[in-house]
Amino acid sequence: MKHLPDVCQMLGKWSSVFIPTLIYCISNQDKVWAIKDNSLSTTLQLIWDAVYKGVPYTVTTDGPVIAVVNILQALQRLSEWHNSISTTALVVFATFLRSQPDLETDEDHQQFSVCLLIKSTFLYGTIKEDGSKHTEPFQSDLIVQVLAQHHCAISGALTVVPGFTTLGHAKGVLALATLVAGISTISLYS
């Protein structure tokens, strides 16, 4: 933090607004795992301009903002964001399985988990046992809880960053939530 411009240390905006906005912007991209330095520089510049309006600064790939973001806080927070989503999915899925009164053994849990993977049933809010079409895609408790965890991580973020056109789509975090939900379904009892 001491290498950042002085304005970053005023009013706590770096931790409470800048970093959550970075997570929010990353979560709206197609690729939430692999972020190229030039793309990150552009994103950071757009966020800088939105958070620190009127404070002239140019984010460069070798400057203090990107260095602090890359090395210290943002990578740690992005890692915590990825991990919290995974942990939430595992806990919610384990709780869901324990709440099923007809599942008594590990084998029952495993068979039920396999059934949830067929046609990605675990994604739906309403699952029809008669085999008819499931309804409410991406509204299962598993997905909703994972997205709620994401919402906590981006609390304080700016929802409008001029020049960043994909905000509000949440396609990256939805893909991540779907992935961790599916992996949770597979890994817990396999």
Side-chain angles (χ1 to χ4, degrees), residues 50-173:
V51 172
Y52 300 108
K53 293 177 184 155
V55 179
Y57 185 81
T58 301
V59 175
T60 60
T61 55
D62 59 348
V65 169
I66 202 161
V68 170
V69 164
N70 273 335
I71 296 168
L72 301 175
Q73 193 175 25
L75 283 184
Q76 177 65 31
R77 290 279 295 273
L78 285 170
S79 178
E80 289 169 2
W81 172 65
H82 289 139
N83 291 335
S84 69
I85 286 177
S86 300
T87 301
T88 299
L90 284 170
V91 169
V92 170
F93 187 67
T95 303
F96 172 71
L97 287 178
R98 281 194 302 276
S99 73
Q100 304 304 309
D102 54 337
L103 302 179
E104 297 175 4
T105 66
D106 282 348
E107 187 176 289
D108 292 341
H109 287 103
Q110 186 175 17
Q111 288 174 352
F112 185 71
S113 297
V114 168
C115 288
L116 288 175
L117 289 172
I118 297 170
K119 295 184 181 179
S120 300
T121 303
F122 68 91
L123 295 175
Y124 291 89
T126 302
I127 302 169
K128 310 276 176 113
E129 290 185 35
D130 64 1
S132 61
K133 187 174 181 174
H134 306 309
T135 58
E136 302 174 303
F138 300 106
Q139 294 181 37
S140 69
D141 286 344
L142 186 55
I143 295 294
V144 169
Q145 290 296 321
V146 169
L147 291 175
Q149 177 61 37
H150 166 66
H151 184 70
C152 291
I154 63 168
S155 177
L158 298 178
T159 56
V160 175
V161 177
F164 208 95
T165 58
T166 62
L167 292 181
H169 297 171
K171 55 188 167 182
V173 74

Side-chain angles (χ1 to χ4, degrees), residues 21-38:
T21 303
L22 174 61
I23 292 170
Y24 181 64
C25 289
I26 298 299
S27 72
N28 280 274
Q29 295 179 4
D30 290 331
K31 297 180 181 178
V32 297
W33 293 103
I35 305 158
K36 296 179 180 162
D37 279 348
N38 60 347

